[in-house]
Amino acid sequence: MNLDLLHKRILAKSSDLQTWFDSARSGLAFPIYSSFDLRDAGFKLAPIDANIFPAGFNNICLADRDNSQDVAKLYLESHYPNVKKVLLLSEEHTNNPYYWDNVLALKIILEGAGREVRIAMPRELPEPLNLISASGAEVRVHSAKRVGSGVDVDGFLPDLIVSNNDFSLAYEDWSRDLETPMNPPRELGWYRRRKDRFFKVYNDLATQFCNTLELDPWILTVESEMFGDFDIDDESSREKLAEQVALTLDRLRARYREQKVEREPFAFVKNNAGTYGLGVVKVDSPEEILSWNNKTRKKMKAAKGGREVNEVLIQEGIPTTTLADGQTAEPVMYMIGCQLAGGFLRAHGEKAQDESLNSPGAVFKRLCVADLQIRIAGCPMENAYGWIARLAFLSVAKEAQELEVKFRGYQGPGC
């Protein structure tokens, strides 16, 4: 089903969809923000990655960034009504100037929501850092010092910690006995979270969504399977991985025939707890795994914080038919609460439609969800991609529920 037909079906079933969505989100607690990398193949549309501590807010269009202040204000007033002071907890990679533009964009959004904001990282600093972002702006970054059951940021005592640190490392000593509410909770960090759980939850919800639309769930789901006890340097482990990839490709080939998709399937092997596009390798055949050279093995070992990769996700590859100024592209959608906050098209002039675009050389093109407020019927891309992002965000909330993650200080129902 192409994008226009999906868009029209969503419009025709909008009342039923909203009823289903309201029921599905009942009783759940929701992270303050998230982002989702999507792939639109024409015959299939689905997320390929879910980020609960997203960077990239600096890449969404200015209209969306302005609207995000109101959306953030509504979220905070609904769930943290007494919060006045917010600590924006950052990553520690001070050598990435683009990341600091993201942090500045988040600071502007939170300040626009009426909160006082400080930026800090969870380690001791002899004095605050004055860092320069890629746009040339100065960012003052403090140390988030633990004092008692709370945090002291050079005399600033936050009521809420909004984390943009994805906790690939657990920071157990820093977080021990912390009572200051944190959103997203540390327990949703990559030290604990696994991609296969998210995709299982997403596929279940996407199936319900498609049943409401009276569509084949295959068009919005993505086959994903965890492979454990992975050791890239062990030949027998690679052989077992190749066998499992072969089974995945055979299943996909059969479904392609059923769906009359005239192309060969492919897959990605990904770090099951990975982020920043690290530890991702495209696979066209199981034989490729058996012949991985040192460069590919090193790429598969890459993980944030130097963590070992001992679980991988075998995921159905979804090609992209999206183009931006003639370049291969994919949509990235941002949420605040259950509301669309913005998006952009990640484009790469040196990548094919079946390759990962989250790599050096990517550029960002306009995709403005504020256009939906003007005339939703005239925005098939924003509407369809927006609903997939809502599905994915709902999946994150249910994933958190399954992991029994507690949202300290979170008030009120829904999102």
Side-chain angles (χ1 to χ4, degrees), residues 32 76-77 80-89 106-107 110-111 113-120 150-163 179-183:
I32 187 170
L76 290 169
E77 289 178 348
Y80 300 94
N82 299 317
V83 164
K84 303 299 180 186
K85 296 182 177 181
V86 173
L87 162 60
L88 182 55
L89 193 72
L106 281 171
K107 184 173 185 285
L110 292 169
E111 288 177 337
R115 272 59 185 179
E116 190 178 355
V117 182
R118 294 289 187 278
I119 301 166
V151 178
D152 186 328
V153 184
D154 292 333
F156 179 86
L157 306 177
D159 309 308
L160 174 68
I161 300 169
V162 172
S163 182
E179 293 186 7
T180 305
M182 183 186 298
N183 190 325

Side-chain angles (χ1 to χ4, degrees), residues 48-50 190 192-204 222-228 244 270-274 311-315 395 399 402-403:
I48 57 170
D49 203 6
W190 283 120
R192 183 169 183 247
R193 186 174 176 239
R194 295 295 180 268
K195 292 181 179 180
D196 64 300
R197 180 186 293 273
F198 166 80
F199 283 106
K200 180 182 183 300
V201 174
Y202 168 79
N203 284 338
D204 289 343
V222 53
E223 182 168 338
S224 302
E225 184 177 8
M226 190 269 286
F227 178 82
Q244 200 158 328
K270 303 179 175 183
N271 181 357
N272 200 28
E311 283 184 3
V312 293
L313 187 75
I314 302 170
Q315 188 170 76
S395 304
E399 179 188 0
E402 287 189 4
L403 288 169

Side-chain angles (χ1 to χ4, degrees), residues 37-38 52 90 115 134 146 167 189 200 226 230 234 238 301 304 318 326 346 359 366 380 393 408 412:
D37 299 358
L38 312 184
I52 302 177
S90 75
R115 272 59 185 179
R146 284 297 312 278
F167 289 101
K200 180 182 183 300
M226 190 269 286
F230 175 68
D234 182 74
R238 295 197 304 275
K301 284 181 179 180
K304 186 166 173 264
I318 301 177
R346 179 189 288 123
S359 59
R366 186 182 186 277
F393 185 77
R408 183 187 296 272

Side-chain angles (χ1 to χ4, degrees), residues 39 48 222-225 241-253 256 263-270 279-286 288-289 292 299-300 313-319 353-356:
R39 282 290 187 121
I48 57 170
V222 53
E223 182 168 338
S224 302
E225 184 177 8
L241 175 63
E243 291 171 3
Q244 200 158 328
V245 167
L247 294 173
T248 297
L249 292 174
D250 285 344
R251 286 194 301 272
L252 292 175
R253 201 168 284 114
Y256 275 26
R263 62 163 297 139
E264 276 296 303
F266 62 100
F268 281 99
V269 175
K270 303 179 175 183
V280 178
V281 174
K282 175 178 173 276
V283 178
D284 290 303
S285 71
E288 289 181 10
I289 296 172
W292 275 348
K299 183 178 181 181
M300 198 65 246
L313 187 75
I314 302 170
Q315 188 170 76
E316 169 187 1
I318 301 177
Q353 64 174 209
D354 57 356
E355 293 183 280
S356 172

Side-chain angles (χ1 to χ4, degrees), residues 6 11 79 133 157 185 192 206 237 295 372 381:
L6 177 59
L11 291 178
H79 302 300
S133 75
L157 306 177
R192 183 169 183 247
S237 180
K295 181 180 178 181
L372 289 168
M381 182 183 293

